[in-house]
Amino acid sequence: MKKVVVFILASFLVVSGLAGCASRSADDAEGKVKIEFFQYKSEAKATFDELIKKFEMENPGIDVVQSNPPDAETVLKMRVVKREIPDVMGIGANFTFANLANAQIFEDVTNNDLLKDIQPAYIQMLKDVSGLEKVYAVPFAANASSVIYNKDMFKELGIEVPTTWDEFIEAAETIKAAGKIPFYFTFKDAWTTLPSYNALAANTQGGQFFKELKKEHATFAESHKEAAGKFMQLMEYGHKDQYGKAYSDGNIAFANGKAAMYLQGIWAIPEIKKANPDINLGVFPYPVTDVPGESKLVSGVDLLLAFSSRSEHPEEAKKFVEFLLADENMKTYINQQNAFSARKGVIQEDPVLEGLKPSFEKGALLDFPDHYVPIAVGLDKQLQVLAHNKDVNQFLKTLDKEWTKVQERQ
């Protein structure tokens, strides 16, 4: 998975002599060690401020400086080129991570004891995304793409939580027949096409799809036809202005009872509750196939913690990550951020998320397919076009064409 950017980064490191340089973490006049924690989640800044304050009280000889700039991943890549690499980095398990791991920016933690209690599925996801056998980060928190539903509306209409695709569509038909909106779509924001499509594709494309795609042994036209078809089937149960509504509009509309189901990630729940604290919510995994219990939950590493391979303070950096992984601190994060822990034994206890617990307990998890699709392919934009034009064959043909273009530029 060595993209052009990886080659450029790696070449720069060699030419500039960065391989022998350490990140510059200036220590203060009192002799305290300063380390930088760079993380990309703006919504988690206050949570990390709280945790950092606690860490510094327990470790008075270490100061942690949190960096959380807008467009953080772009900023991080620019800082790598400028040889300003933070001691600890918190990003997602996506193409940015893959590129930087391949450029040897991160410390190898394959045999590090920090991984001992991490869910194996999440460790494997890091390997799959990077295309490397070694592990270059510690999975910290996970999110999930699920169906969020209004429990009161389901009860009113006598609908049970569906466990198969046919039951899912039957539930949508029942809701529609009652004069209500089954799904609230927000396609003004192209990325909101992804949560539902990720679940459909992950459960139907085959476990080796992207590996086979890179070898030219598979195509989107063949392997994503079922997912695209089912995506279009869901469109039949939306509302009239689904291309004119944005993500924030959808959160408020769903909170106010405008639809029975919302095809979003669990990250939307705090915003929904903010709009209506009294709403009675539940969640369930997308039932993509017609075999009960066969569909897996799409859950990826939303936040991983990686060490700079050139940090001047590796021991202090590790101590900070050990602190974040401790039960009490991990619970603070997952409770405030409505996330799931990547560590075994640290349970998300929010009753709203009860419907996803069996999937986590069984390890019945699949990664987000869009994590493997280069940004240049524009999966979200292509889905936005598909939702509007309803031409499945053209959508799949375009994905194959754009994928090939990216591969040829490598």
Side-chain angles (χ1 to χ4, degrees), residues 344-359:
K344 293 180 285 187
V346 181
I347 307 301
Q348 170 56 261
E349 297 175 348
D350 186 343
V352 171
L353 301 175
E354 185 71 30
L356 304 185
K357 284 184 179 179
S359 298

Side-chain angles (χ1 to χ4, degrees), residues 262-307:
Y262 195 34
L263 306 182
Q264 257 300 343
I266 59 174
W267 52 82
I269 292 173
E271 294 302 311
I272 295 168
K273 286 183 174 180
K274 192 183 297 182
N276 180 6
D278 298 323
I279 190 169
N280 189 10
L281 294 178
V283 295
F284 59 88
Y286 284 81
V288 181
T289 74
D290 278 322
V291 179
E294 181 180 62
S295 299
K296 294 183 179 180
L297 177 68
V298 171
S299 172
V301 179
D302 184 47
L303 184 66
L304 55 80
L305 302 174
F307 300 105

Side-chain angles (χ1 to χ4, degrees), residues 42-347:
S42 58
E43 66 272 22
K45 185 177 186 302
T47 298
F48 280 122
D49 280 339
E50 177 184 332
L51 290 169
I52 287 169
K53 184 177 180 180
K54 180 181 176 184
F55 173 80
E56 291 177 339
M57 288 180 65
E58 295 178 8
N59 299 272
I62 307 173
D63 280 346
V64 179
V65 179
Q66 179 181 187
S67 297
N68 178 231
D71 198 11
E73 291 188 16
T74 299
V75 171
L76 180 58
K77 286 183 281 189
M78 291 300 296
R79 286 190 54 178
V80 166
V81 173
K82 289 160 51 177
R83 297 177 288 174
E84 298 173 355
I85 305 173
D87 299 281
V88 180
M89 290 155 276
I91 57 176
N94 55 20
F95 256 76
T96 296
F97 165 72
N99 290 339
L100 296 179
N102 275 273
Q104 300 179 345
I105 300 303
F106 304 134
E107 185 72 26
D108 175 5
V109 295
T110 307
N111 299 314
N112 199 301
D113 58 4
L114 292 171
L115 293 179
K116 66 180 180 180
D117 293 324
I118 303 297
Q119 284 269 16
Y122 293 127
I123 295 174
Q124 186 60 47
M125 286 178 192
L126 298 194
K127 293 181 179 180
D128 290 343
V129 168
S130 69
L132 301 170
E133 285 302 314
K134 292 183 178 181
V135 183
Y136 287 91
V138 180
F140 181 70
N143 56 17
S145 181
S146 68
V147 180
I148 306 172
Y149 72 105
N150 186 315
K151 284 187 172 182
D152 291 338
M153 201 174 292
F154 266 46
K155 184 177 181 180
E156 175 191 340
L157 297 176
I159 300 172
E160 298 290 331
V161 170
T163 61
T164 67
W165 179 258
D166 284 346
E167 290 174 359
F168 192 31
I169 297 302
E170 184 180 343
E173 287 282 2
T174 300
I175 295 162
K176 187 175 181 179
K180 300 179 185 293
I181 297 170
F183 306 121
Y184 202 94
F185 295 115
T186 56
F187 293 159
K188 184 176 181 179
D189 288 331
W191 73 266
T192 65
T193 60
L194 291 170
S196 57
Y197 192 78
N198 274 327
L200 298 172
N203 279 284
T204 58
Q205 68 186 7
Q208 302 299 311
F209 170 64
F210 284 104
K211 289 182 179 179
E212 294 300 304
L213 186 63
K214 288 173 187 174
K215 297 175 184 176
E216 300 183 3
H217 294 164
T219 63
F220 283 100
E222 296 170 347
S223 301
H224 274 223
K225 189 170 185 178
E226 181 178 353
K230 288 185 171 178
F231 180 78
M232 290 309 305
Q233 196 172 357
L234 295 177
M235 298 304 100
E236 298 173 16
Y237 301 97
H239 52 99
K240 292 181 180 178
D241 193 24
Q242 56 198 30
Y243 310 105
K245 300 298 183 182
Y247 173 62
S248 57
D249 301 321
N251 293 337
I252 294 170
F254 182 72
N256 291 324
K258 298 295 184 181
M261 291 179 277
Y262 195 34
L263 306 182
Q264 257 300 343
I266 59 174
W267 52 82
I269 292 173
E271 294 302 311
I272 295 168
K273 286 183 174 180
K274 192 183 297 182
N276 180 6
D278 298 323
I279 190 169
N280 189 10
L281 294 178
V283 295
F284 59 88
Y286 284 81
V288 181
T289 74
D290 278 322
V291 179
E294 181 180 62
S295 299
K296 294 183 179 180
L297 177 68
V298 171
S299 172
V301 179
D302 184 47
L303 184 66
L304 55 80
L305 302 174
F307 300 105
S308 167
S309 60
R310 299 158 185 89
S311 173
E312 291 183 338
H313 301 299
E315 292 183 9
E316 289 81 3
K318 182 180 180 183
K319 196 166 191 176
F320 177 59
V321 171
E322 287 175 335
F323 167 86
L324 293 178
L325 289 169
D327 287 6
E328 182 180 351
N329 304 320
M330 175 70 82
K331 286 180 180 178
T332 295
Y333 181 87
I334 65 172
N335 290 340
Q336 292 188 13
Q337 297 302 311
N338 207 67
F340 284 89
S341 168
R343 273 191 59 216
K344 293 180 285 187
V346 181
I347 307 301

